[in-house]
Amino acid sequence: MTEMQKLYLLVPLAPLFGAIVAGLFGKIVGRRGAHIVTILGVATAFVGSVFVFQDVQAGNTFNGTLYTWATSGGITFEVGFLIDSLTVMMMLVVTFVSLMVHLYTIGYMSEDPGYQRFFSYISLFTFSMLMLVMSNNFLQLFFGWEAVGLVSYLLIGFWYTRPTAIFANMKAFLVNRVGDFGFLLGIGLIAAFANTLNYAEVFAKAPALAAMTVPETGWPLITAICIGLFIGAMGKSAQVPLHVWLPDSMEGPTPISALIHAATMVTAGIFMVARMSPLFELSEAALSFVLVIGATTALFMGFLGIVQNDIKRVVAYSTLSQLGYMTVALGVSAYSAAVFHLMTHAFFKALLFLGAGSVIIGMHHDQDMRNMGGLWKYMPITWITSLLGSLALIGFPFLSGFYSKDSIIEAVQLSHIPGAGYAYFCVIAGVFVTAFYSFRMYFLVFHGEERFGKAVEHAAHGDHSAAHGDDEHGHDEHHHGLAPGQKPHESPWVVTVPLVLLAIPSVLIGFFTIEPMLFGDFFKGVIHFSDSHPVMAELGHEFHGAVGMAIHGMTTLPFILAMSGVAVAWLFYMKMPAIPAAIMKTFKPIHTLLENKYYFDKFNEIFFAGGARLLGRGLWKVGDQTLIDGMAVNGSAKLVGVIAQLTRLFQSGHIYQYAFSMIVGVFVLLTFWFNRA
């Protein structure tokens, strides 16, 4: 094993070591020991990722097997790494954001009794994601895929004594299993027809797969594979209708929300489709399916952010919307734009979540934005970093989000894939919606009247209670909100330092990386584009540098819509708060529809959960009790009993009866014998 291969192995194993120590020996090492060992593990992974990045930039890549553990039917099951530009980009994002979350957790979870357990979970989460992005075969990909799902289940339900947390983690687990069924189906088709699970070998056989059909159906095989894989991505990256688990993930502590929403899990689906670009490029039907699903998610999940009063849920719905933008980019063959937005989004979304957590700390665990206002005076670091994160989210020129988001919008405009017109409308309308709900949150939290330290005056007290249902420290008796006369306070340095460190890439990284990542050689030979989908090439012709793009961006429709959204939010919530109340009253049915999240949860509860219960009851009553127990088991016993009773009639013990039976038997035997002859 070479030195670089040892380094590749060190990157995922370092967080795993930290997770094992904190998880199994947490009582021995104590709280301080748990956070030291896990932070050192993730820091080692980050530094190692930097060295691997430099090596890849020097032109060195790796695709090889580290361990072969089984061979069956000509298919090899192995642990291997694929190290290229896409992999190292993901490694850097995952390890850096995870490191910030680990540091932040020291301050945020300082009072929680599950401190060591929490550090073990988030470190294990990091290991799982690294194994996923570094894999060179579908088996290891599936291992990482399921591992992040398992750990998310543990994290979302971290406060496992609360019914809401139990419900949320079960929902996340079950919805992701639905997606994983499609994912496994896609992998199964690959294994069956390509007879290999290695990425490179599958990609080499892609043209042959494109010429095949699924037996008995006549469906194009490559389309079936791609749609199956994407259904897996729909679960992981929370696309309609498999999005319902992500808002409920807020039941976990805020650091987890940041990690799941920004750097791990939800990004897995986007990464996977980009990695599979040689397959998706061969199926326009699959791309069109991806495009329509992503566009629907981008716009309609954004609408839900408008009616949220819980600060964390606003940020959660913005994640759903932005994941929709990434998926749209995948659908128009702009894979590099999708992963570029994945990267920039990871930084400013982690920033917004951790900023929301800082606000929650300052507000003594009150998450209802209607009880905030004027916090900029008391929490200046949180305020300025949250402002930068919000500007990046809405795509303000020169900030990271502008470069990635505008590139996607332009790519969609240039695309001719079926559904591109609908997608363009969704992403362009989504710009206004995103700006509106983002700055609604910003103005309600940091500016205007100071509404904290008062009795709850708004009518929707039920909503207020719901917003407080996410007890950030797991103590039901814990007081939520500031007492009368009490003032908020800035968070400790272990919270504010990660905010500052995340704000830097949120502002700068897009400016410095757009040219190499989208129009240079950064993804050359890694992401594939067919000649029939020249979107990125056309986009490159219109690109004239990062500065020129930003200056031009100030004159475009997305910028006008974004600024309009900010202006309307300012007017509604700073100057004329009676307007949104009047709109809500006038359009009550629409508001109710949005408050109930388009009734997706209700439909799932009635149709899928209710249907599953009905099916289970039917299988239990009819299948188990009537058929198996009643007919098969008890019926067999009764039949044996009847035969035994009849047999006992001939077992009298009298010789003449036995002789008579023998005569009858011989007579029957001879009769059948002669009739046969």
Side-chain angles (χ1 to χ4, degrees):
M1 187 178 289
T2 66
E3 292 301 316
M4 285 308 300
Q5 288 176 13
K6 291 177 182 176
L7 184 59
Y8 301 153
L9 203 54
L10 177 65
V11 171
L13 290 184
L16 178 62
F17 175 77
I20 292 171
V21 172
L24 300 182
F25 307 101
K27 290 184 179 180
I28 298 171
V29 299
R31 295 165 75 90
R32 182 179 175 85
H35 75 235
I36 287 175
V37 71
T38 51
I39 289 171
L40 281 176
V42 177
T44 302
F46 173 64
V47 172
S49 299
V50 172
F51 282 114
V52 175
F53 171 75
Q54 291 173 338
D55 188 57
V56 171
Q57 286 295 95
N60 301 314
T61 59
F62 177 78
N63 181 15
T65 302
L66 298 181
Y67 177 71
T68 301
W69 61 274
T71 301
S72 177
I75 300 177
T76 303
F77 303 99
E78 57 194 23
V79 177
F81 290 152
L82 171 59
I83 307 297
D84 55 21
S85 54
L86 179 59
T87 304
V88 293
M89 186 274 288
M90 290 296 298
M91 289 165 65
L92 286 170
V93 169
V94 170
T95 54
F96 179 75
V97 173
S98 179
L99 181 59
M100 296 301 101
V101 168
H102 275 71
L103 289 171
Y104 180 94
T105 299
I106 296 174
Y108 196 88
M109 299 294 287
S110 59
E111 301 173 9
D112 198 280
Y115 190 82
Q116 295 100 308
R117 179 166 59 94
F118 190 80
F119 272 100
S120 176
Y121 287 173
I122 57 177
S123 202
L124 186 62
F125 208 40
T126 307
F127 159 75
S128 303
M129 191 65 190
L130 287 169
M131 288 299 290
L132 188 157
V133 301
M134 295 173 71
S135 64
N136 76 337
N137 62 86
F138 285 97
L139 181 72
Q140 189 175 323
L141 174 71
F142 190 73
F143 163 76
W145 196 268
E146 293 302 310
V148 292
L150 172 63
V151 187
S152 72
Y153 171 83
L154 297 172
L155 286 166
I156 295 167
F158 181 76
W159 291 310
Y160 52 82
T161 57
R162 288 166 32 204
T164 50
I166 296 168
F167 182 77
N169 69 4
M170 285 300 294
K171 184 189 280 190
F173 187 80
L174 293 173
V175 171
N176 272 277
R177 298 297 74 74
V178 174
D180 292 350
F181 178 76
F183 189 58
L184 198 57
L185 210 60
I187 295 175
L189 287 172
I190 290 171
F193 289 92
N195 201 40
T196 180
L197 293 175
N198 185 276
Y199 291 165
E201 294 174 8
V202 172
F203 297 159
K205 295 180 179 181
L209 295 175
M212 299 180 187
T213 58
V214 180
E216 308 299 331
T217 65
W219 297 342
L221 177 64
I222 198 72
T223 300
I225 288 172
C226 290
I227 289 178
L229 293 175
F230 180 67
I231 289 172
M234 286 168 63
K236 276 290 179 288
S237 295
Q239 299 297 291
V240 172
L242 301 182
H243 67 283
V244 293
W245 69 271
L246 194 59
D248 289 82
S249 68
M250 298 301 97
E251 287 295 329
T254 296
I256 276 315
S257 303
L259 202 54
I260 289 177
H261 286 248
T264 61
M265 192 141 172
V266 296
T267 63
I270 307 300
F271 162 80
M272 184 273 295
V273 176
R275 175 64 80 195
M276 300 301 136
S277 60
L279 301 180
F280 279 83
E281 281 298 278
L282 298 172
S283 176
E284 192 155 291
L287 288 175
S288 187
F289 180 72
V290 172
L291 180 61
V292 171
I293 292 290
T296 305
T297 306
L299 180 59
F300 289 92
M301 294 300 108
F303 284 139
L304 297 182
I306 298 172
V307 300
Q308 301 300 316
N309 295 309
D310 185 320
I311 185 173
K312 282 173 63 177
R313 288 188 181 270
V314 176
V315 188
Y317 280 107
S318 88
T319 302
L320 283 169
S321 181
Q322 297 308 304
L323 286 166
Y325 276 85
M326 299 174 208
T327 305
V328 164
L330 297 171
V332 297
S333 289
Y335 307 99
S336 50
V339 294
F340 181 47
H341 193 48
L342 182 159
M343 178 187 73
T344 61
H345 173 265
F347 297 117
F348 62 72
K349 185 51 54 72
L351 173 61
L352 286 170
F353 263 115
L354 298 188
S358 180
V359 168
I360 292 167
I361 294 173
M363 291 295 299
H364 285 206
H365 317 302
D366 188 349
Q367 298 177 200
D368 196 323
M369 298 186 299
R370 296 167 295 184
N371 300 332
M372 301 178 188
L375 294 187
W376 72 274
K377 292 179 289 186
Y378 307 99
M379 307 180 73
I381 299 173
T382 303
W383 163 61
I384 195 69
T385 52
S386 296
L387 175 60
L388 291 171
S390 298
L391 289 170
L393 173 62
I394 70 169
F396 193 81
F398 289 102
L399 274 69
S400 295
F402 162 77
Y403 291 104
S404 55
K405 199 171 178 178
D406 266 42
S407 297
I408 292 172
I409 294 170
E410 290 181 34
V412 176
Q413 192 177 11
L414 293 168
S415 176
H416 301 290
I417 288 175
Y422 167 73
Y424 182 70
F425 168 77
C426 289
V427 295
I428 205 74
V431 172
F432 176 86
V433 174
T434 301
F436 179 77
Y437 69 67
S438 298
F439 274 82
R440 170 183 177 263
M441 178 181 71
Y442 171 75
F443 290 132
L444 283 175
V445 173
F446 294 105
H447 295 279
E449 176 193 356
E450 295 180 5
R451 297 178 297 276
F452 46 81
K454 301 177 182 179
V456 179
E457 295 176 357
H458 50 76
H461 187 76
D463 292 342
H464 175 79
S465 301
H468 295 337
D470 186 10
D471 182 347
E472 285 293 307
H473 288 280
H475 304 300
D476 293 334
E477 75 276 5
H478 195 96
H479 172 67
H480 288 286
L482 298 166
Q486 198 174 8
K487 300 295 183 185
H489 55 85
E490 185 62 274
S491 300
W493 71 268
V494 287
V495 172
T496 55
V497 167
L499 292 180
V500 173
L501 292 176
L502 284 166
I504 296 168
S506 298
V507 173
L508 299 175
I509 200 163
F511 180 88
F512 290 105
T513 59
I514 181 170
E515 190 163 356
M517 288 186 72
L518 295 195
F519 311 111
D521 294 334
F522 189 80
F523 290 126
K524 188 177 180 180
V526 178
I527 291 174
H528 299 267
F529 307 97
S530 70
D531 295 335
S532 57
H533 305 139
V535 167
M536 290 308 298
E538 292 178 24
L539 206 59
H541 296 317
E542 299 180 5
F543 180 74
H544 302 291
V547 175
M549 182 178 174
I551 294 171
H552 174 70
M554 295 181 182
T555 63
T556 60
L557 180 60
F559 178 75
I560 296 167
L561 288 171
M563 293 301 99
S564 300
V566 173
V568 172
W570 176 81
L571 179 67
F572 280 15
Y573 297 98
M574 296 297 294
K575 292 297 178 184
M576 304 175 75
I579 294 179
I583 292 173
M584 185 182 80
K585 191 175 180 180
T586 306
F587 299 98
K588 185 67 176 175
I590 296 174
H591 185 268
T592 304
L593 179 68
L594 295 176
E595 269 198 329
N596 287 280
K597 299 172 282 189
Y598 306 115
Y599 293 97
F600 270 107
D601 282 336
K602 187 64 68 178
F603 175 78
N604 288 335
E605 285 173 21
I606 295 172
F607 187 80
F608 287 110
R613 285 195 298 270
L614 186 65
L615 178 64
R617 196 174 291 112
L619 292 173
W620 169 41
K621 291 288 186 182
V622 178
D624 189 44
Q625 288 189 344
T626 305
L627 295 178
I628 297 174
D629 286 346
M631 294 183 66
V633 178
N634 296 333
S636 301
K638 286 179 181 177
L639 181 62
V640 170
V642 170
I643 294 170
Q645 284 181 340
L646 292 172
T647 306
R648 278 198 294 272
L649 296 175
F650 297 95
Q651 299 289 326
S652 62
H654 297 129
I655 295 174
Y656 68 87
Q657 285 190 347
Y658 296 156
F660 179 73
S661 299
M662 288 174 63
I663 292 167
V664 171
V666 170
F667 174 76
V668 171
L669 180 64
L670 290 173
T671 302
F672 277 105
W673 180 267
F674 285 117
N675 284 338
R676 182 183 164 202

